[in-house]
Amino acid sequence: MSAKREPALSAREARARIDAASRRNAEIKGGYELVKVRRQGNSLAVTLDQKILAAADLHEGDLVQASVVHGNVLLTPVAVAPRVRQEVLDIGRRVVRENADVLDRLARDEG
């Protein structure tokens, strides 16, 4: 099943959409400049300036989920917590508890 593609926009229609999106951004966060989609290796990338990153509280290494909402690209920050099975945690706690004296001696020897 192929996705439907919207018909190509004229330059005037594209500019009108960009202007409308810019006005929405200005109303929401004080407005931003346009950024260019660039080739980076085999992918395309967008570079976000410090003003946008600060407004979104994004930092290098943060993970974001990309989606398209009403034709706009939306980047949503996500927190990823490591998944550790309860069984593994219980085993680790038991090993530490059963070997507490050895671990204490090792800690004293290191200091």
Side-chain angles (χ1 to χ4, degrees), residues 12-106:
R12 182 178 298 203
E13 291 169 321
R15 172 53 61 195
R17 283 194 183 184
I18 291 170
D19 289 344
S22 295
R23 281 193 300 280
R24 283 193 303 272
N25 283 339
E27 293 167 5
I28 295 170
K29 295 285 187 178
Y32 302 109
E33 60 189 55
L34 295 176
V35 295
K36 184 181 274 191
V37 177
R38 300 175 190 267
R39 178 158 303 283
Q40 185 171 354
N42 289 331
S43 301
L44 297 177
V46 174
T47 301
L48 304 175
D49 67 15
Q50 292 300 316
K51 183 178 176 183
I52 293 173
L53 294 170
D57 194 27
L58 287 174
H59 307 280
E60 183 177 349
D62 287 353
L63 295 175
V64 294
Q65 179 180 6
S67 57
V68 178
V69 178
H70 302 295
N72 295 306
V73 176
L74 178 65
L75 300 177
T76 305
V78 293
V80 178
R83 293 182 181 175
V84 178
R85 291 179 37 198
Q86 188 62 42
E87 179 184 3
V88 173
L89 290 172
D90 292 342
I91 291 169
R93 289 183 183 117
R94 189 188 77 223
V95 167
V96 169
R97 188 175 53 250
E98 290 174 357
N99 296 291
D101 58 332
V102 173
L103 295 171
D104 286 340
R105 278 186 288 175
L106 287 172

